[in-house]
Amino acid sequence: MVDSAGHVVPPFVLVRDHDQYHWNYGEPQCRDVLAFDIDPHEPEMRCASCGALFEGIAARVVDGKFDGAIGFLPGSIVQQFGVDVSSFDVAVREPTGGWRARTDWFNPILTEAGQGGAERD
């Protein structure tokens, strides 16, 4: 997202667009991400084909475009990311090809753009 001057809005800065607010979640240079569905599900999420229980589901974004979804079996999130899904909701691909949980982006404090800052027309 950019401001009215065409500059990229810094992450987690609220931009007012008439009567709504928007913000960039994370860093624009992160083009490959996993965005986890963190809402609790009832009934539990299961594979429609085999019935396997999923601990979590993530939308996969590759080069800035939705590329599919990934289901994670119980225990695989902590095994792959080193932290529980309750402490992050986005992972980014590292230059090495691995994924890193962005715990620093979890439940961010949003600040409003200042006067003359990132306001959209």
Side-chain angles (χ1 to χ4, degrees):
M1 181 176 63
V2 295
D3 62 17
S4 58
H7 300 108
V8 174
V9 175
F12 311 115
V13 173
L14 289 170
V15 175
R16 187 179 177 102
D17 185 5
H18 303 290
D19 61 345
Q20 296 182 358
Y21 286 94
H22 306 277
W23 65 91
N24 280 337
Y25 187 98
E27 301 287 344
Q29 68 269 23
C30 296
R31 307 278 297 160
D32 296 352
V33 301
L34 296 175
F36 284 81
D37 181 354
I38 60 169
D39 294 327
H41 291 272
E42 292 296 331
E44 300 168 321
M45 294 180 288
R46 293 192 174 272
C47 175
S49 297
C50 70
L53 175 66
F54 292 119
E55 175 182 29
I57 303 285
R60 184 178 55 228
V61 177
V62 176
D63 196 25
K65 298 176 186 88
F66 177 73
D67 186 61
I70 300 174
F72 291 87
L73 297 173
S76 64
I77 292 176
V78 169
Q79 181 181 359
Q80 182 168 349
F81 301 101
V83 292
D84 186 78
V85 75
S86 65
S87 63
F88 76 103
D89 51 13
V90 172
V92 298
R93 187 173 305 276
E94 297 281 53
T96 60
W99 293 98
R100 179 169 58 107
R102 292 303 303 252
T103 56
D104 56 326
W105 292 354
F106 188 67
N107 200 19
I109 296 172
L110 302 175
T111 57
E112 190 167 350
Q115 296 289 355
E119 302 251 343
R120 288 174 56 156
D121 299 325

